[in-house]
Amino acid sequence: MTTFYQLLFSGFALGCVYALVALGFTVIYRSSQVINFAQGSLLALGAYMVSWFAIDKSLPFGLAVLAAIGVCVLVGVVFQRLVLRWVAGQPVFVIVMITIGLSIVIDASVSAKFGANPRLLGDPWSSSAVHPGGVTLIWAKIWTIVTVFGVLLGFFLFDRYSRYGLAMRATAADEEAAMAVGVPTRRVFALAWGVAGAVATVGGFFLATFPNQLDPSISAVALLAFPAIILGGLDSPAGAVVGGVTIGLVEELTKGYQPAHASWLGTNFYVIAPYVVMILVLMVKPYGLFGRAPVERI
Amino acid sequence: MSSEVRVLGRTVSAAGLIAAGSVVAAAALTVALPFMLNAFWLSTLVFILIYAIAALGLNVLTGYTGQVSLGHAFFLAVGAYTAKVLGGDHQLMALIWIPAAGVVAGLCGLIVGPVALRLRGLYLAIVTIGIVFIGQHIFLNVDSLSGGPQGTAIPSVQIGAGAQCQPSCSVDFSQGTSLGGATIDHNALYYYLSLFILVLGMLFVRNLVRTRTGRALQAVREREVAASLMGINLVRTKLAAFVISSFLAGVGGALFGSYLSFVRPQSWDLILSISFVAMIIVGGIGTVWGPLLGAIFVAGTPTVLNHYADSVPFLQHGSSSGGLSINEFSSIFYGALIILFLVLEPRGVVGLAGRAIALAQRLARGPAIPPSTPLPSQQSA
Amino acid sequence: MTLLEVSGLTVTYGGAVLACEGVSLSVDEGGSVCLLGANGAGKTSVLRAITGLLRYHNGAVVHGSITFDGRSIIGADTSKLVASGIAQALEGRRIFRDLTVSDNLRAGAFSARDRSREKRVRDEVLQLFPPLAARLGQAAGYLSGGEQQMLAIARAMMAQPRLLILDEPSLGLAPLVVEQIGASLREIVAGGCSLMMVEQSTALALATTSYAYLLENGCVTHHDRTAHLLADERVRASYLGTSAGQAEVAAVTGEKAR
Ligand SMILES: Nc1ncnc2c1ncn2[C@@H]1O[C@H](COP(=O)(O)OP(=O)(O)OP(=O)(O)O)[C@@H](O)[C@H]1O
Ligand SMILES: [Mg+2]
């Protein structure tokens, strides 16, 4: 039973990170119906920036995180203002391809600056832990859960009650109508990219605390958030959170039990387990658990 | 004014002559290329042609039918392993295993299709990412098929194969051959073979889009609901697109593996899939020439950049501890190029070529108009 | 005093499609103006030019001038225009269906002229359209067609406009509802807000506006007091010939007979 609780805990912590990554996707998808393939690269950039500010620039860790968030928000906003505004109205896959271009540029820039070797994050927790009832709770993961919940709460309050949160929802619902009633939609799009950059940073550095080191492969993790956003429905931030946590649990539980109980599924099956779950869910609900079918007019 | 000439009793415009002349010249050049290029350029060209074959398939699915798939790499893998089983394990002829690779991949498309059919737009794109991952997992774990993580050999193309035939009448593509004194090396052989298949594929696609099925595909892209009201069978149409797409991917995958002669499961990854999407978008989505032009851009740019990187002063070879290496530089350049390109010309190379041709035509018509008096219509354009 | 002045306006889409040519019209402070015309005459395009939405449709003003309160507003951002007092409700209502009625109204106040008055303005607006008051917490998509149109107008009014622009507010609504909306619009105009409205329903045009322009194939061919214009034989002939049905002409003559 201890194993089970242990897996539950780490699955939940991992799921929280996926939830953040997925939130980044949905915020942008909601505002412009585009999947941002550079989300994983932003996440890597954020994590490397935390490490750079904390270790190379010797900033206190909290400050390093804030500075890194600043960098990623800036990259997101500048990209939106400088590049994406020119392709508004183009087919979605053209815009998706442009975000893939951005991801190639960021990934290569990060590895040009920091190299391929793993480096330390500079976080204050290292591997310290508490042990209630035989279960090892690593502080880094506890902090992940706490912080992620804080960030998510903050986002939902913002989305629900603030002026710009309302503006984001209005723009998502009907861009032209939002413009017509006076919502500065261009600022809203930039804001969406800013939010995506910020949550990517937070997700990135928590992800890097798990093995407590940082290497370029971290940007691939965003790919694992895809099943999360699909499960939750592309346009539902709340769904993104549920989907993220689900996927984290699926992954960790599979990692823990599959090798012993279903070894015929092959080694490292946990890597694709989220995708298998996703496909199974989609066969039943084609728009995810929380997504809605768009109303089609003829 | 005589910008028209009489050829074989028919009146042909100068522009028409130029066009016909350039087609003949281009065809001649295409055939002569292997004798003009060194091994490096020729092998780059072979990869471009093979990629173009697979991209042609994706273009039917994504470009004409509007179903974005990121699972193309999986179907290439199926093609390559079919080649391995039929051509390698069972020693069948290339004439059999190349089409068979397409057929088996097409069948896989038929199996995957029904799942994908229920999904729209980016949901489909993400599920097909799942196919890539699951496929890779299977290939990594089924050693008998793929050799596991270590990889497996894919047979080379042999024509007039087997022991029954004299060495003189059989050609092993990995060895090269000689024809009337001229040696044709293995790069050139794969070049001609891929070119032949690509041309067949392009003719097929060009004709396809003019048929009933082809128009149905495009109707599905424009408006799914409306298409189904028009009496188009959505399921069958989308499945057809999926199967055609997978077929060409399979053929491309078999050639790809065969040309490389050895493949590992890790190569059939998402990045490969993404580069096919990049090819058709950068080339010009939903056009016959788009996949080839896109393949030239996507497969050619990094290769060329790497090749010439030596002459760029601030770059250094293979760094792992920071500093701008050649690979990183070419990646940054390549990514930035994609962004810039699509911002400036979202219709891709074909859109750009269209502009260039329009310009050329205006220039070709130029002599008819005295240069000093521009037409009002030109001013407003 | 003239509030909005459009002169010689020519609009194209994608550099090629000509939507209107040489259109001139004006709206006085406190005035109410109607823009009539058949489908495709270019009415919506004129409104888009005024409210800065052309760019969103890949269109552009290629000739002419538009001034609001004496200042040129060509190329201005829609949100800036809203803040300076031009609010609009688009053709086809276009409410935010998933948002609550209350959030729809809040969105309308995003660039309001005086944001500190939002609460008071909301109460005033809800008095204009009482059916909305009872449904503030509901998703707007569940409102009836008439209520949705009311919401669209109410949302625009949340910006505290000096000029309210409406594109076919009667579209698809029953005569009774149209009459209710007409009453609210008269109240809005009486409150000092200018009104510019595109309409195909001659009944609503007559009921709410005092001056009218007829747009045919992108050009203003007639303009006069609304009642005169609609009584004009030539206008009726051309209007009838292109779009308006027998019933509407009957409605016009009916109005006149009353
Ligand atoms: N977004 C657009 N892109 C290209 N052309 C457009 C666009 N919108 C309108 N047009 C064209 O401009 C012309 C005028 O259209 P507009 O919508 O202004 O007419 P309208 O009078 O509002 O018609 P309706 O009564 O149907 O609403 C039409 O020929 C139309 O095809
Ligand atoms: Mg209109």
Side-chain angles (χ1 to χ4, degrees), chain B residues 83-110:
Chain B
K84 184 248 171 188
V85 171
L86 296 183
D89 302 353
H90 291 96
Q91 299 280 317
L92 294 175
M93 296 188 290
L95 215 56
I96 293 177
W97 61 252
I98 292 180
V103 170
V104 174
L107 285 177
C108 285
L110 208 56

Side-chain angles (χ1 to χ4, degrees), chain B residues 17 28 43 59 77 82 128 182 301 337 343:
Chain B
L17 262 189
S43 114
N59 198 31
T82 308
T128 50
T301 311
L337 209 59
V343 168

Side-chain angles (χ1 to χ4, degrees), chain A residues 29 33 35 92-93 230 234 282 285-288 292-298, chain B residues 65-69 113-128 220-228 234-235 238 242:
Chain A
Y29 182 83
Q33 282 73 53
I35 291 187
V92 167
F93 40 79
I230 289 293
L234 277 172
L282 281 181
K285 302 199 66 166
Y287 290 95
R292 265 166 315 197
V295 178
E296 284 263 349
R297 272 192 300 171
I298 297 153
Chain B
T65 321
Q67 313 292 309
V68 182
S69 163
V115 180
L117 288 178
R118 300 176 45 111
L119 308 168
R120 297 262 178 84
L122 293 169
Y123 281 88
L124 175 63
I126 292 178
V127 167
T128 50
V220 169
R221 173 186 63 190
E222 298 310 329
R223 217 67 196 274
E224 223 163 81
V225 179
S228 73
L234 279 185
V235 174
K238 284 203 217 168
F242 232 98

Side-chain angles (χ1 to χ4, degrees), chain A residues 33 94 109 111 115 134 150 157 161 175 183 245 279 289-290:
Chain A
Q33 282 73 53
V94 169
S109 309
S111 78
L157 290 177
Y161 298 107
E175 187 185 341
V183 171
V245 171
I279 288 177
L289 296 172
F290 300 92

Side-chain angles (χ1 to χ4, degrees), chain C residues 40 43-45 91 167-168 198:
Chain C
K43 308 176 298 284
T44 301
S45 303
E91 188 172 355
D167 196 345
E168 303 204 28
V198 159

